[in-house]
Amino acid sequence: MKIKLYSFLSLLIGSITLVSCIDTEETSEAIFLEDKAEIEAYLDTTTIVNVKEYKDQANAYYIIWQELSNSKDSVFVGDTVVVHYTGKFLSGQVFDTSIEQVAKDNGLYDSDYKYPPLSFKVGTFSVLTAFEFGIRQMETGDKATIIMPSELGYGRNGQGPVPPNTPLVFEVELMEVKPGLREN
């Protein structure tokens, strides 16, 4: 019995030692570099109508506008925005949407759900920070595609249908900006 206990303890200590040797920064960097390469390959092989763009290549974050409204109705912290969106993986597979027809076309339709546009107050951290950042760059009526690495999405944990370490693509349309107490 003592041999089994010693064997178990040795295995446990060895496992803890091995795990403590893993450099999480190095692992994060490796995941980011893989995401960045996947995003660059996606951008090289995908046609996205582009009338304006924001590139942060160092962080593998992109906003590509398909339509500009020129409404001059900008978004500020404290405003409530109303957005239609479709969330996709780089493969093109849709994982979430606020648009009923898109849900039907992609096998996500739920007859009990009404498919309203997403409404959220800017600056309350109620959506992904990278998603909100993209919306803040838009004006009412703009349509854009936001592309982000996994660390700016759901990261190492994933969420719901989104697996861990998955870069994301969001097609968004800013429907409305309801001014709030603006903090800028």
Side-chain angles (χ1 to χ4, degrees), residues 22-152:
I22 296 174
D23 183 350
T24 56
E25 282 298 315
E26 186 176 311
T27 305
S28 295
E29 180 68 18
I31 293 167
F32 173 73
L33 291 174
E34 185 175 317
D35 286 356
K36 187 174 181 180
E38 289 177 20
I39 290 169
E40 288 171 0
Y42 172 80
L43 291 170
D44 287 343
T45 59
T46 304
T47 302
I48 301 175
V49 173
N50 181 345
V51 296
K52 177 182 168 183
E53 64 184 40
Y54 170 90
K55 291 183 186 181
D56 183 350
Q57 289 175 314
N59 291 309
Y61 180 84
Y62 300 86
I63 307 168
I64 303 169
W65 280 260
Q66 285 74 58
E67 291 183 24
L68 293 171
S69 66
N70 295 313
S71 68
K72 306 294 185 225
D73 193 8
S74 300
V75 178
F76 296 91
V77 172
D79 291 348
T80 297
V81 294
V82 179
V83 179
H84 265 306
Y85 71 93
T86 298
K88 299 179 177 184
F89 303 127
L90 295 178
S91 67
Q93 178 186 346
V94 174
F95 65 86
D96 192 17
T97 186
S98 65
I99 304 168
E100 183 174 347
Q101 190 59 51
V102 173
K104 287 178 179 178
D105 292 347
N106 290 278
L108 300 173
Y109 182 70
D110 178 352
S111 61
D112 294 331
Y113 188 66
K114 301 295 180 210
Y115 294 92
L118 173 66
S119 178
F120 66 93
K121 185 174 180 180
V122 176
T124 60
F125 305 103
S126 58
V127 297
L128 294 171
T129 303
F131 182 89
E132 181 177 302
F133 177 80
I135 299 300
R136 288 195 61 197
Q137 307 316 302
M138 299 171 69
E139 296 176 352
T140 300
D142 287 1
K143 292 182 180 182
T145 300
I146 302 168
I147 304 165
M148 66 185 77
S150 61
E151 70 181 22
L152 298 179

